[in-house]
């Protein structure tokens, strides 16, 4: 709907989904998922607001939490705290972009609330800007991700050491990091662009960031540098 100089778009959806998670965690199912998103455009400015709600189940972890429950009341409390069985989860996102043509700036903020389970609560945001020099566009981006509860002492029983280690491995998989990205885009042909980008990421202690396929001996935290070259095209 267009009101004056403002173009308004409202979207709504409902459904369910299933997808596999990395590190052999298993499949995650989302049911009774619904969400709404609003996008408003005014001249060179665009704003976006979205909300998503769902119930999440991760059966691949059932064996772990059933193991905790075998240790009695303390184990049951711990399992009920982190188990993912039809747990409510919601995400809210707010973003904006301003692009008058010669330059641009954009950013986005998102918050996850799992209302329990090992997913916990998390917040992420980024801010990016660039300037166009004809066919060349250098840009810079800063991004940050935070999460709570990256570890748990678990149960004191020596027999639960393996379960405690597995639980803490799951908790540390939540990204807590910040990244600075510097890149450039060259539109050297019609509908074809070359992008070069360098990312420097600082991962907080206790977190494995967004790294997957972790190998034995991996230590949480540290720094990661990535250089990438891509070609984007429209056909």
């Amino acid at each position: 709907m267009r009101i004056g100089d403002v173009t308004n778009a409202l979207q709504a959806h409902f459904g369910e989904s299933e997808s596999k998670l990395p590190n052999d965690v298993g499949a995650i199912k989302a049911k009774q998922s619904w969400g709404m998103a609003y996008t408003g455009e005014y001249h060179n400015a665009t704003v976006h607001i979205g909300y998503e709600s769902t119930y999440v189940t991760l059966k691949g972890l059932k064996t772990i939490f059933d193991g905790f429950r075998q240790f009695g009341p303390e184990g049951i409390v711990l399992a009920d705290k982190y188990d993912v069985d039809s747990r409510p989860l919601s995400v809210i996102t707010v973003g904006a972009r301003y692009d008058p043509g010669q330059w641009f700036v954009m950013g986005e903020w998102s918050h996850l609330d799992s209302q329990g389970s090992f997913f916990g609560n998390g917040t992420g945001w980024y801010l990016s800007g660039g300037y166009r020099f004809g066919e060349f566009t250098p840009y810079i981006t800063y991004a940050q991700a935070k999460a709570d509860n990256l570890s748990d002492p678990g149960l004191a029983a020596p027999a639960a050491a393996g379960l405690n280690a597995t639980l803490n491995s799951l908790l540390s998989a939540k990204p807590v990091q910040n990244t600075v990205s510097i890149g450039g885009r060259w539109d050297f042909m019609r509908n074809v662009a070359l992008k070069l980008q360098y990312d420097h990421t600082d991962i907080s202690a206790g977190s494995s960031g967004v790294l997957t396929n972790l190998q034995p001996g991996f230590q949480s935290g540290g720094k990661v540098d990535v250089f990438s070259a891509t070609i984007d095209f429209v056909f």
Side-chain angles (χ1 to χ4, degrees):
M1 178 181 294
R2 188 174 181 85
I3 303 176
D5 292 334
V6 181
T7 300
N8 303 276
L10 184 64
Q11 296 175 307
H13 64 269
F14 178 85
E16 61 181 52
S17 65
E18 180 176 349
S19 59
K20 290 185 178 180
L21 293 177
N23 298 333
D24 297 324
V25 176
I28 183 170
K29 295 182 179 180
K31 293 186 176 181
Q32 300 181 40
S33 302
W34 67 273
M36 300 187 70
Y38 166 79
T39 302
E41 298 181 24
Y42 176 75
H43 297 303
N44 301 320
T46 302
V47 296
H48 179 83
I49 302 173
Y51 178 81
E52 176 87 16
S53 177
T54 188
Y55 287 87
V56 177
T57 297
L58 189 52
K59 291 185 177 180
L61 303 181
K62 186 177 186 301
T63 302
I64 299 171
F65 295 117
D66 284 350
F68 276 111
R69 292 186 175 97
Q70 294 178 3
F71 285 86
E74 291 185 1
I76 293 174
V77 171
L78 193 65
D80 291 344
K81 178 181 179 180
Y82 293 115
D83 200 357
V84 186
D85 187 4
S86 295
R87 288 293 187 98
L89 184 149
S90 63
V91 179
I92 184 171
T93 303
V94 179
R97 176 186 178 97
Y98 184 75
D99 187 348
Q102 189 69 52
W103 56 276
F104 65 89
V105 62
M106 58 184 175
E108 188 173 14
W109 173 90
S110 183
H111 178 72
L112 165 72
D113 183 1
S114 70
Q115 301 180 34
S117 83
F118 80 89
F119 288 116
N121 299 326
T123 302
W125 64 272
Y126 77 87
L127 184 64
S128 181
Y131 196 91
R132 298 183 178 93
F133 298 92
E135 299 175 345
F136 298 92
T137 306
Y139 59 86
I140 185 170
T141 302
Y142 181 80
Q144 186 178 85
K146 292 184 177 181
D148 62 0
N149 203 11
L150 298 179
S151 63
D152 192 291
L155 300 177
L163 291 173
N164 294 337
T166 302
L167 174 61
N168 280 285
S169 176
L170 292 171
L171 294 175
S172 67
K174 294 180 287 188
V176 180
Q177 62 182 46
N178 60 78
T179 301
V180 176
S181 302
I182 300 174
R185 172 186 172 121
W186 176 29
D187 293 272
F188 64 95
M189 293 178 59
R190 182 180 179 182
N191 297 328
V192 183
L194 170 66
K195 291 182 179 178
L196 302 177
Q197 182 168 308
Y198 167 75
D199 304 301
H200 175 77
T201 299
D202 285 318
I203 303 175
S204 296
S207 172
S208 58
V210 296
L211 301 177
T212 60
N213 192 27
L214 305 180
Q215 301 301 304
F218 173 82
Q219 298 293 323
S220 63
K223 303 180 186 297
V224 177
D225 295 292
V226 178
F227 178 79
S228 60
T230 61
I231 294 180
D232 291 349
F233 58 91
V234 179
F235 59 93

